Amino acid sequence: GDPLMNRDFSSVTELAGDEVTQEQVERLAHRYFWAGAYCDGRDVLEVACGSGQGLGHLAARARRLWAGDLTSRLVRDAHRHYGERVALLELDAQCLPFPDASLDVVILFEAIYYLPSAVVFAEESRRVLRPGGQVLIASPNPDLWDFNPSPHSVSYYGVAELDRLFGEAGFTCRFFGYLPVDAVSLRQRALRPIKKAAAALGLIPKTMAGKKWLKRLVFGGLVPMPAEIAQETTIYMPPVPLATGLPDRRFKVIYVAATKNI
C-alpha cells in the first residue's frame, strides 16, 4: 500500500490551541497572506491543510475553495471549526480527486518534504491546473547551515531543487524569501550552534511535548495557536524576491509560485 495512506501527521502538525512560539503563529499567518493575492476570484485547492488555520482567509478571497488532508483527524478538526464555509475532504497530494484543468491554484504549505514523491505531486498539480494556473509552496530552507529536518520527512527542497522539480513538470518558478536569519532574536542566534550540535547528536525531541520544552528554552514564552488566523495576527510585509536556481542562505522560509506553462 501507499506509505502515506497509513500515516497520521497530527503529531507533526500545529493544531489549534497548541502552545507554540509567536514566530510560528506569524510564519503561519504570513504564508496565507502571501497566498491570498494569488487566490482572488479563482478556484483554489489547499492540499495538506492540517487543521485549517488559513482556510478562512483563503475562502474570503477565492471564488471557490476546497481543502483536504491525508489525516482524517485533521480534516474533522477543520470541519468542526468551519462547518459549511469550506468544502473539506480527505485526500492524497499524489492523487488529487479533481478533473483535468479544473483549478487555478494548488497550495501546499510546509508539507512537500513529507511526500514519498514530490515529482508525482508536481505532475498531478499540472494535470488539475488550467493553463497559467499556479502551485504555491512554502517550505523551510534546507540550505541553512543549522537546518534540522522534521521526523517523518522524506526529502527537502531548496531553491535549486524546487526550480528543477517544477521546471521538469512544465512550470516556471518565482522564488521569495521570508524571515531573514539575521533578523531573529539574539537569543535564537546565540543558540543556533547549540541547536546544530544537538541535531547532529540526535538530541532534538521528536514529540510535540518535547519540542514545546525546547521552544520555551530557545524562544521564551509560548502562545496558543489560533483556530483561524485574522488580519491582525501579524503585520504583513511582502517576502523578498530571490534569484532562481541558486541556493539561498539568508532566509528561514522559501516561497515558490510555480506557474503552469501554456
Side-chain angles (χ1 to χ4, degrees):
D2 183 337
L4 262 184
M5 289 314 287
N6 51 23
R7 282 158 68 189
D8 182 335
F9 286 91
S10 51
S11 67
V12 289
T13 301
E14 296 162 343
L15 304 173
D18 275 355
E19 283 190 305
V20 295
T21 66
Q22 186 60 38
E23 184 185 291
Q24 277 174 286
V25 176
E26 288 172 9
R27 274 170 79 150
L28 181 128
H30 191 276
R31 56 185 179 253
Y32 286 103
F33 293 160
W34 170 70
Y38 293 88
C39 296
D40 285 338
R42 301 175 87 192
D43 294 335
V44 178
L45 167 66
E46 184 179 7
V47 179
C49 68
S51 53
Q53 290 94 334
L55 297 178
H57 182 74
L58 298 178
R61 302 190 68 159
R63 184 167 76 126
R64 286 183 297 184
L65 174 68
W66 294 267
D69 200 281
L70 195 61
T71 303
S72 50
R73 176 195 163 182
L74 297 175
V75 176
R76 284 197 304 273
D77 284 355
H79 191 263
R80 216 174 5 252
H81 178 77
Y82 288 101
E84 300 310 306
R85 288 165 58 197
V86 178
L88 284 148
L89 54 159
E90 268 182 64
L91 58 75
D92 178 346
Q94 299 179 178
C95 183
L96 299 174
F98 288 84
D100 295 2
S102 60
L103 298 168
D104 300 305
V105 181
V106 174
I107 296 171
L108 180 69
F109 284 166
E110 297 289 333
I112 193 167
Y113 39 89
Y114 293 132
L115 302 182
S117 175
V119 170
V120 174
F121 166 71
E123 288 166 353
E124 267 293 85
S125 297
R126 179 171 173 79
R127 180 185 67 75
V128 300
L129 285 170
R130 298 174 180 130
Q134 282 153 325
V135 182
L136 305 179
I137 304 283
S139 191
N141 184 358
D143 294 317
L144 298 182
W145 64 270
D146 61 342
F147 176 71
N148 176 46
S150 165
H152 305 315
S153 59
V154 175
S155 194
Y156 280 89
Y157 300 84
V159 173
E161 295 83 8
L162 285 163
D163 194 42
R164 194 175 316 120
L165 172 75
F166 284 100
E168 287 172 2
F171 291 84
T172 301
C173 293
R174 291 182 64 207
F175 292 90
F176 304 88
Y178 169 59
L179 217 54
V181 170
D182 58 12
V184 300
S185 71
L186 275 173
R187 178 181 187 147
Q188 271 191 71
R189 262 181 285 169
L191 286 165
R192 278 182 84 189
I194 297 168
K195 179 183 143 194
K196 174 76 176 166
L201 294 167
L203 299 176
I204 301 276
K206 298 278 187 276
T207 65
M208 280 298 193
K211 285 191 165 148
K212 206 176 284 184
W213 172 84
L214 191 66
K215 281 172 185 162
R216 269 211 192 88
L217 182 73
V218 177
F219 295 95
L222 300 182
V223 296
M225 175 60 80
E228 181 178 347
I229 58 166
Q231 212 52 53
E232 59 275 9
T233 304
T234 188
I235 296 164
Y236 179 71
M237 300 285 286
V240 177
L242 299 176
T244 301
L246 299 171
D248 170 77
R249 296 193 168 83
R250 290 180 303 150
F251 292 94
K252 290 176 80 166
V253 183
I254 301 295
Y255 291 158
V256 190
T259 304
K260 178 178 169 176
N261 298 333
I262 295 166

